[in-house]
Amino acid sequence: MGIVAGLDSSPDFTRIVVCDADSGAVLKQGYAPHPLESGEGGGRPADVDPQAWLLSLGEAAGGGLLEGVQAIGVSAQQNALVPLDSQGNTVRPAMPGGDKRTQAAAADLIDRLGGREAWAQAVGCVPQAMHPVTKLRWLARNEPEAAQRVALVLQAHDWLVWQLLGRPSRRTTDRGGASGTGYWSAASGSYRPDLVELALGHQAMLPEVLGPGDAAGTTPEGLIISAGTGETMAAAFGLGVRQGDAVVSLGASGSVMAVHHEALADPSGMITSLADATGMHLPVVHTLNAVRALRGTADMLGLSGIEELSDLAMKSTPGSHGLVMLPYLEGEKTPNLPHTAGTLSGLRRESMKPEHLARAAFEGMLCGLGDAMDVLRGRGVEVRRIFLLGAAAELPAVQAAAPMLFGTQVVVPQPADYAALGAARQAAWALNGQLPQWQGAAAQVLEPGDELPVGQAVRQQFTAVREQTHPGAFNSVGA
């Protein structure tokens, strides 16, 4: 049926996979780091010249990697703002996703529209530092001369697709990428140009939003370029998640997202309503504390890392002898407790052992993510199977506790370039005109089995401590 390629341009590197369009089998791979410098003071990401992404792409595709390829899909870091002038040149370097400079601008935007609920109803998300709409506000306030020259606003994958096509007059994006901007609504499927003007001070052109299987265009050589999408959407597509599936990501912070048939407007702002790469929706709930709670506990116990912490936790038993950790070390987003601290409860002589503290850290992290999942379930999102992502998903203590605490089947996929695979799958869709039925990710499948009642008891123990310490924290969402 053909050969396709998927490239994933992350904040630090470009990965390329070349696949059989019919089966999804990986034929070749390429990799190159981005030639980037760290941010000022090491605290924030550096502004990025988008040409660095092209240089990395060219290096990753070296050695004839793309010979015989008929279509390419592009996945790229989400929320990286690329402001262009009327000639298509960058007004300033791109602003990457996690940019703490813009926190004050986010608060300003929330106030200017009339609060969090107004934003949630308008576009399905409440402005945060990472969102492109927030960066436009920061530009208007801090670099007004540059802001005045902005005529077109793209994100990373939009810009890369445009470059691959030779910078045509038509500029495109997809539903997934658009849904994270803060000025496109997944519920209505349309832009809110008034919010761009609210942020930037004037109107700017926005890329055309393509359907999931649409092509952005064809190069003069006849190479089809698909719509492209953000990394989160591409990874979900590469994993093969479908309705009834949720994805739990274990980074320093955590997230729970699920495939759903409709967009969810959430007045509390806990749910961010994204679109996926297939025409469905990806509601997401974030927690501020996941693996950082494990690392903090490992430091507290004088251990070398979370692997040792896992080994120690396996010497304890479910419930950690009554020890409960609320892992809100950086404050928390779900529930909305931005100024709180973590809590350790249930200290008794018999529970004051390192292995019980280690187990409580794992249970606290997973129960916190279980709370996030319950926010989605409380809005009618079905969760029958959970994909567990991140290096911590491989830890024995996580795999032992997750199925019983989440109360459903847990799938731990083998490490792979899922965002690049998702981009390649999208390219196959654009090439052949139909959704490719590729085999799902190779994975380890874990079942709660007989330990389900034990997991429910541990969740109840955690909930009781949370309610006693932070009464009514979830009342606003009915969780």
Side-chain angles (χ1 to χ4, degrees), residues 128-342:
Q128 299 177 41
M130 64 183 179
H131 288 131
V133 71
T134 304
K135 292 164 186 169
L136 291 177
R137 185 64 192 151
W138 183 90
L139 267 182
R141 293 177 61 178
N142 294 273
E143 298 178 3
E145 291 184 5
Q148 288 174 4
R149 293 168 47 219
V150 175
L152 169 67
V153 180
L154 299 179
Q155 294 186 88
H157 89 263
D158 311 335
W159 188 85
L160 283 166
V161 165
W162 185 51
Q163 296 292 326
L164 289 172
L165 289 171
R167 296 165 60 103
S169 58
R170 183 192 191 208
R171 275 71 60 117
T172 63
T173 188
D174 85 305
R175 296 171 64 256
S179 66
T181 59
Y183 43 79
W184 186 86
S185 167
S188 67
S190 59
Y191 280 117
R192 287 287 302 266
D194 57 313
L195 299 182
V196 175
E197 186 169 359
L198 180 73
L200 187 60
H202 64 85
Q203 290 289 347
M205 290 181 62
L206 301 171
E208 175 187 346
V209 181
L210 300 176
D214 293 344
T218 304
T219 68
E221 298 77 26
L223 186 64
I224 294 171
I225 308 295
S226 66
T229 195
E231 274 189 316
T232 296
M233 299 79 187
F237 197 33
L239 280 165
V241 298
R242 55 185 184 267
Q243 194 160 359
D245 292 338
V247 178
V248 174
S249 296
L250 300 177
S253 55
S255 67
V256 180
M257 67 178 180
V259 180
H260 196 49
H261 65 277
E262 63 180 352
L264 298 177
D266 174 27
S268 74
M270 286 188 190
I271 299 174
T272 297
S273 192
L274 299 177
D276 79 347
T278 73
M280 297 284 279
H281 294 268
L282 275 179
V284 183
V285 179
H286 294 276
T287 68
L288 291 181
N289 301 278
V291 175
R292 65 164 42 98
L294 304 183
R295 297 197 187 284
T297 307
D299 291 344
M300 184 177 178
L301 291 172
L303 304 176
S304 62
I306 60 175
E307 293 79 10
E308 274 193 39
L309 187 73
S310 173
D311 293 342
L312 187 60
M314 293 299 287
K315 298 177 181 178
S316 182
T317 54
S320 310
H321 276 242
L323 208 56
V324 176
M325 178 184 291
L326 302 183
Y328 306 153
L329 308 185
E330 299 284 329
E332 190 46 79
K333 178 175 170 58
T334 306
N336 186 27
L337 299 167
H339 306 299
T340 194

